[in-house]
Amino acid sequence: MRALDVTEAISNLLDLMRVRSTAYIAKNLTAPWGVHIDEHTNLARFHFVISGATWIGLPGTQETTKLTKGDIAIIPDGKAHEYFDSEDRTDRQSKNYPTPQTPARFELFDRESEDTHLLCGYFEIAAHTPPALISRLPDLLIGKHQNTSFGKKLGLVVDLLEQELSNPSGGSVVTMNRLTEVLCIHTIQDWFERTLPEDQNLMALSDPKTKLVLDRIHEAPEAHWSVEALARLFGQSRTAFIAQFKLATGMTPMHYVRTWRMKLAQKLLRDTQLSIDEVAFKSGYNDTNAFNRAFRRQTGKSPGAYRRSGAD
């Protein structure tokens, strides 16, 4: 592939994601420390090293990665993870943060201190992001501050974050949110650049015609979609379209439509007070009974029980 093709592919994948970051906590860590972060599947997490070092890993595995100044760790699917002052995992404390309801807390960064200073937070990936894209990302995505163009970008952001944490102002929280958003985007972009040329599934997902079909499904899940209608949008025969779509998403077109409708229904039940009939209609079901059956098959619960449980 030409370099321009790869660049366009990465741009399309990033456009399918769209992240919005929230810097949640900045803290000075004095050894010893060992922190276990509980799983939270609705939030991607990040930990960025402003100064010092920490080791990070996933529970149940022996592998850890050392992070030093300018390095970032992203946990795209919100899996549980741990970080320590050394490779030896000791003195763990259970923490269930961050969440959107918890107020931010930032400790001042002292350039003269030998403590490790971490800036942590979460980012929300756009609701329309195809599940196939999230599933391609590693459970623990590491961005290293090295002598590369990516590393230089991280270095610039470190300098800006140091300024905000050393001399906070009224707009510091908003500034740190945008800066960490840039960090997350650049880290994911760097991973795409290293992975995309060898990943046929990601290449298929980044195809502009695939993106067009996904955008239409996401914009109008209630439409009366059929394989034929989606194939016309894609501009290929029914057979060719099904093969390409399955390569890109891991699903047949109509399986994807049904899965997307259920994902939307779960969000509406969690985040709105719409009636079950209204949720069914907005999710593409004119028959509430058919919606109830489909929802129970997908989640194991009725829509009403799902709403009452406050399920993820």
Side-chain angles (χ1 to χ4, degrees):
M1 292 188 65
R2 294 182 297 110
L4 180 60
D5 292 332
V6 173
T7 300
E8 290 172 346
I10 291 170
S11 178
N12 287 338
L13 291 172
L14 289 172
D15 190 52
L16 278 170
M17 291 188 71
R18 297 181 193 165
V19 303
R20 185 167 184 84
S21 175
T22 299
Y24 163 81
I25 186 170
K27 51 191 173 181
N28 299 301
L29 298 172
T30 302
W33 73 82
V35 180
H36 173 93
I37 308 295
D38 295 332
E39 181 172 5
H40 197 312
T41 54
N42 285 332
L43 294 177
R45 304 272 187 62
F46 68 84
H47 302 282
F48 185 64
V49 182
I50 303 293
S51 68
T54 191
W55 279 257
I56 190 164
L58 301 174
T61 66
Q62 296 301 313
E63 184 179 352
T64 58
T65 300
K66 184 179 182 179
L67 304 178
T68 59
K69 178 177 178 178
D71 292 346
I72 184 171
I74 293 178
I75 301 85
D77 206 21
K79 285 185 167 50
H81 54 284
E82 302 166 336
Y83 56 91
F84 305 86
D85 64 298
S86 69
E87 288 184 277
D88 140 21
R89 302 182 176 194
T90 56
D91 301 326
R92 285 181 294 176
Q93 305 167 31
S94 181
K95 300 287 185 182
N96 187 12
Y97 64 78
T99 69
Q101 291 74 38
T102 309
R105 179 169 60 84
F106 301 106
E107 295 180 6
L108 286 177
F109 171 64
D110 181 358
R111 295 174 188 273
E112 304 303 319
S113 172
E114 295 184 1
D115 288 348
T116 290
H117 196 87
L118 295 184
L119 178 62
C120 308
Y122 59 88
F123 61 94
E124 297 177 87
I125 298 172
H128 64 246
T129 304
L133 182 51
I134 302 302
S135 68
R136 295 284 196 283
L137 296 172
D139 291 339
L140 184 59
L141 199 167
I142 304 294
K144 298 293 288 182
H145 181 212
Q146 300 167 330
N147 188 26
T148 63
S149 59
F150 170 63
K152 290 175 183 176
K153 292 173 185 176
L154 291 185
L156 292 172
V157 179
V158 170
D159 292 341
L160 293 171
L161 287 170
E162 279 187 4
Q163 290 296 325
E164 292 300 327
L165 290 167
S166 301
N167 302 288
S169 63
S172 288
V173 172
V174 174
T175 301
M176 285 190 285
N177 287 348
R178 299 293 78 80
L179 288 173
T180 53
E181 206 166 283
V182 170
L183 276 176
C184 292
I185 291 170
H186 278 312
T187 304
I188 294 169
Q189 177 184 338
D190 177 67
W191 185 84
F192 281 152
E193 288 174 353
R194 291 183 282 111
T195 305
L196 193 61
E198 307 300 325
D199 192 320
Q200 290 184 332
N201 303 100
L202 274 178
M203 286 304 305
L205 190 57
S206 69
D207 187 300
K209 293 184 295 183
T210 304
K211 183 176 181 299
L212 173 64
V213 171
L214 292 173
D215 284 345
R216 292 293 183 271
I217 294 171
H218 298 161
E219 289 165 4
E222 76 286 353
H224 297 295
W225 293 117
S226 66
V227 174
E228 290 73 19
L230 294 171
R232 284 194 297 273
L233 269 177
F234 193 78
Q236 285 192 350
S237 70
R238 186 181 191 276
T239 302
F241 164 64
I242 291 173
Q244 180 74 1
F245 192 89
K246 192 167 184 179
L247 179 64
T249 67
M251 303 180 192
T252 63
M254 296 316 297
H255 184 194
Y256 186 91
V257 170
R258 290 191 295 271
T259 300
W260 186 257
R261 286 171 172 170
M262 287 296 102
K263 183 176 180 180
L264 173 62
Q266 290 173 48
K267 180 174 176 56
L268 291 173
L269 289 168
R270 283 197 311 266
D271 300 343
T272 76
Q273 297 301 312
L274 293 174
S275 69
I276 302 299
D277 287 346
E278 291 172 310
V279 170
F281 180 75
K282 286 182 176 291
S283 303
Y285 290 84
N286 292 323
D287 182 342
T288 303
N289 290 328
F291 168 70
N292 288 340
R293 290 193 296 272
F295 192 90
R296 188 181 288 275
R297 281 197 302 271
Q298 178 76 17
T299 66
K301 297 180 180 180
S302 69
Y306 182 91
R307 170 173 274 169
R308 289 191 295 274
S309 71
D312 290 335

